[in-house]
Amino acid sequence: MECRAGCGACCIAPSISSPIPGMPQGKPAGVRCAQLDERNLCRLFGLPERPPVCGQFAADPQVCGGCREDAIRLLTEWEQLTA
């Protein structure tokens, strides 16, 4: 599955424990990443400053569903199940 450009669900729903430029303590679940722009695109995509965990995320129907709303819901559920 290819990422849906402008989705941004993986930059909002899950927590990220590693430092992110602009968020040195990481990011809590449900909080928009400081590097997510107004078009829901990552400002760090392809740059060495991008946290490895972000680069390792792979879009998959099980976590992304069929649309952005599905992805937010599913990623939030996965976050809660693994907390």
Side-chain angles (χ1 to χ4, degrees):
M1 174 178 185
E2 293 289 322
C3 268
R4 288 185 289 272
C7 173
C10 60
C11 303
I12 298 169
S15 61
I16 298 174
S17 58
S18 56
I20 302 166
M23 302 180 102
Q25 304 302 314
K27 182 194 93 53
V31 173
R32 186 179 180 83
C33 178
Q35 297 302 322
L36 192 62
D37 72 13
E38 64 282 345
R39 297 172 300 155
N40 288 330
L41 300 174
C42 178
R43 291 182 184 99
L44 300 177
F45 192 84
L47 299 177
E49 298 86 5
R50 187 175 183 213
V53 68
C54 298
Q56 294 166 358
F57 180 82
D60 186 278
Q62 286 188 315
V63 294
C64 298
C67 63
R68 181 178 191 271
E69 291 74 22
D70 287 348
I72 293 280
R73 180 182 53 77
L74 290 165
L75 286 166
T76 298
E77 288 175 10
W78 279 92
E79 179 70 28
Q80 292 168 348
L81 289 170
T82 60

